[in-house]
Amino acid sequence: MGVRLSGGIGPLRVSVPVLGAAGGFFGVCLFAFKLIGWLLWWELVLGWYALLGCYWLLRVVYWEAPRAAWRWWQRRQAATAGAL
């Protein structure tokens, strides 16, 4: 971005940084804060997926599988009792 200056020595251009005062060290700090925010966001998202996955794994192991095994055992007992 530039500003045209007209004067007695001819056309000049003065460069103006796009970020203004946020350039240089402050630009690096701004980038670091944005990066930390991005990493924290993905940690939150992936953490929730991990919690959900652990929930379903524990539910299958400690709830669904024993119930399925118990139902199978009851059907087996009923079938063997009916066969006698």
Side-chain angles (χ1 to χ4, degrees), residues 16-78:
V16 178
V18 177
L19 290 177
F25 176 73
F26 295 108
V28 171
C29 290
L30 184 64
F31 175 75
F33 277 117
K34 288 170 83 173
L35 180 65
I36 289 170
W38 182 80
L39 289 173
L40 287 173
W41 167 252
W42 280 107
E43 181 185 5
L44 179 71
V45 169
L46 296 177
W48 275 109
Y49 279 125
L51 283 174
L52 191 62
C54 288
Y55 164 76
W56 279 104
L57 181 67
L58 292 173
R59 179 178 171 157
V60 165
V61 169
Y62 291 108
W63 181 255
E64 300 293 338
R67 290 180 73 226
W70 179 255
R71 286 193 306 264
W72 172 80
W73 180 257
Q74 293 299 317
R75 284 194 309 269
R76 183 175 177 269
Q77 293 290 50

